[in-house]
Amino acid sequence: MSESIEEDAINLLLQRVRVLDPIANGDRIADVWLKDGKIAAIEGQIVDIPPETTIKNGENLILSPGLTDLYSANNDPGHEERETLTSLSKAALAGGFTRLTLLPNTVPPLDNAAGLTFLQQKIPSYAPHFQFWGALTQNLEGEKMVELAELADAGVVGFSDGKAIAHWGVLRRLLEYGGPLGRPMAIVPTSPQLRDNGAMREGSFSIQAGLSGDPVFSETAALAALLEIVAIVRTPVHIMRVSTARGVELIAEAKQRGLPVTASTTWLHLLLDTEAVGDYNPSLRLDPPLGNPGDRVALADGVKAGVIDAIAIDHSPYTYEEKTVSFEEAPSGAIGLELALPLLWENLVIKGNWTGLQLYKALTVAPQVCLGQNPLSCAVGEVAELTLFDPQKTWIANRETLFSQSANTSWWGQEIRGKVLSVWHG
């Protein structure tokens, strides 16, 4: 197992490190002095090195604000065999995430204030900054509203069931009652009735694979209806897990109309599409399913253009036994906290046409804005909540290198280029 990558910032000088600061649109080589938990100086060269300073060579390394994940599963309590808050904390930090926003899918679900208090007491002392989505409906069943104001007063960051709410009347009432609370409301745009039992995005590749197809309109019909409700109610909404090209178009149109919406897609939907499902790897059984090739391209273009605001990890661990079944029978989800940054950097920046700032903006600033928070910055005087990444370091994704308890990733056993070396999280 990997060693912890947490570091303190009592008195450390990083020399010749590449500093990416999406807030200032800055990308430069500089010396960075961290002292007493804050960024004390950023200069082209710091000559007068204070005594008792630890000096670290930062050449070819990237220093950025800590990454923020918009939503991932929380299996503790209820399914600790998949993941505990301890292993989740270590996996997040190993992936460069200093802020993690967890869905309310615990057992029992996080649908009351007492549940939030219980979770907050379980957080390990070394954990990243955990934030919690409170449920929208009781027991995540999509039927009866929770006490939204009670959860807001208790300190949830926002509200989401983490899955579709099929009853449009319930959804309208949720937006009407939740709007005055000033917390983001994250909605999954999916029609379970239109999806039926689709396991793979409908198209030529689903026909070749012989798998039941999930049509594009299972997402877009639900999204169009949601946007019509938002147009009337005017409650700000975050649209989760956008996975289709048409979904990107609808969100672009909504933003042009001035609707108060933000949106995110997951890292896997930017890297893979239905062509990857040909080997029936159960780790690629996702919800929503991977899109067709045109969807993947449209999602990437949407993030670069700011139509899709942020990239979420949607880390969803399962046990070996749960995933070692046929593709259609496998539960939906895959791990990703430790893999997302290196694989996105390698495939979108090194092999693609993204800039480093575009990627880091979608993983740092944008998620915090979607949560209604002030984004982190690499600036003098700011708290040292930072991630140090080596884009060249290679490693093998296996039990020896990953902190996550689960192995449900299609990159298991493969060589990964790029690794987080250190994190500072205040």
Side-chain angles (χ1 to χ4, degrees), residues 28-347:
R28 60 170 174 153
I29 305 298
D31 288 359
V32 180
W33 179 28
L34 308 179
K35 182 174 174 59
D36 299 330
K38 291 189 176 183
I39 302 174
I42 303 177
E43 299 177 11
Q45 183 178 11
I46 297 177
V47 179
D48 297 326
I49 300 174
E52 300 180 358
T53 300
T54 300
I55 299 174
K56 187 168 187 173
N57 182 11
E59 283 194 90
N60 301 317
L61 306 182
I62 297 172
L63 184 71
S64 74
L67 311 186
T68 295
D69 183 29
L70 266 174
Y71 41 86
S72 280
N74 181 14
N75 290 287
D76 184 0
H79 288 288
E80 291 89 343
E81 72 280 5
R82 297 174 182 166
E83 189 91 277
T84 65
L85 284 174
T86 296
S87 63
L88 182 61
S89 297
K90 293 178 178 179
L93 293 172
F97 290 88
T98 60
R99 299 189 181 193
L100 203 61
T101 319
L102 299 181
L103 292 168
N105 63 305
T106 48
V107 181
L110 179 50
D111 59 7
N112 59 75
L116 179 61
T117 300
F118 175 76
L119 282 173
Q120 290 170 334
Q121 292 172 344
K122 284 177 65 71
I123 298 173
S125 60
Y126 54 81
H129 299 287
F130 277 129
Q131 308 168 113
F132 296 94
W133 292 101
L136 283 164
T137 65
Q138 295 178 21
N139 206 36
L140 306 182
E141 293 175 346
E143 296 294 333
K144 298 180 180 179
M145 285 195 304
V146 302
E147 294 290 341
L148 297 173
E150 176 187 300
L151 276 169
D153 290 341
V156 296
V157 72
F159 303 98
S160 178
D161 272 6
K163 59 182 181 179
I165 296 176
H167 195 303
W168 295 111
V170 171
L171 183 56
R172 175 179 176 172
R173 289 196 297 274
L174 283 165
L175 297 185
E176 289 174 337
Y177 280 88
L181 299 175
R183 305 294 170 90
M185 306 187 80
I187 308 297
V188 179
T190 302
S191 170
Q193 295 89 350
L194 294 175
R195 166 178 284 182
D196 198 15
N197 293 317
M200 178 180 177
R201 182 62 72 209
E202 186 176 86
S204 60
F205 287 103
S206 68
I207 295 172
Q208 292 175 25
L211 294 171
S212 54
D214 178 349
V216 167
F217 54 75
S218 72
E219 173 174 290
T220 56
L223 177 55
L226 170 62
L227 293 172
E228 289 303 303
I229 296 174
V230 172
I232 299 299
V233 179
R234 307 302 297 188
T235 295
V237 163
H238 179 75
I239 302 165
M240 304 170 61
R241 298 174 181 150
V242 181
S243 67
T244 65
R246 179 57 182 152
V248 177
E249 292 177 354
L250 288 171
I251 292 166
E253 293 166 5
K255 289 188 172 184
Q256 290 172 357
R257 292 163 56 194
L259 299 191
V261 296
T262 58
S264 59
T265 189
T266 82
W267 73 289
L268 284 171
H269 287 84
L270 292 173
L271 295 184
L272 301 174
D273 54 45
T274 44
E275 289 189 72
V277 183
D279 62 357
Y280 305 98
N281 187 330
S283 291
L284 295 181
R285 176 75 153 96
L286 306 175
D287 183 12
L290 291 172
N292 288 304
D295 296 316
R296 177 180 54 77
V297 173
L299 289 167
D301 290 343
V303 176
K304 288 176 64 178
V307 175
I308 305 299
D309 299 84
I311 300 172
I313 307 307
D314 208 7
H315 177 85
S316 301
Y318 287 96
T319 64
Y320 175 82
E321 291 76 17
E322 288 175 304
K323 276 288 192 178
T324 310
V325 293
S326 70
F327 187 89
E328 290 190 298
E329 295 175 322
S332 299
I335 63 172
L337 286 170
E338 297 165 85
L339 298 166
L341 177 58
L343 288 170
L344 288 168
W345 183 271
E346 179 72 11
N347 288 279

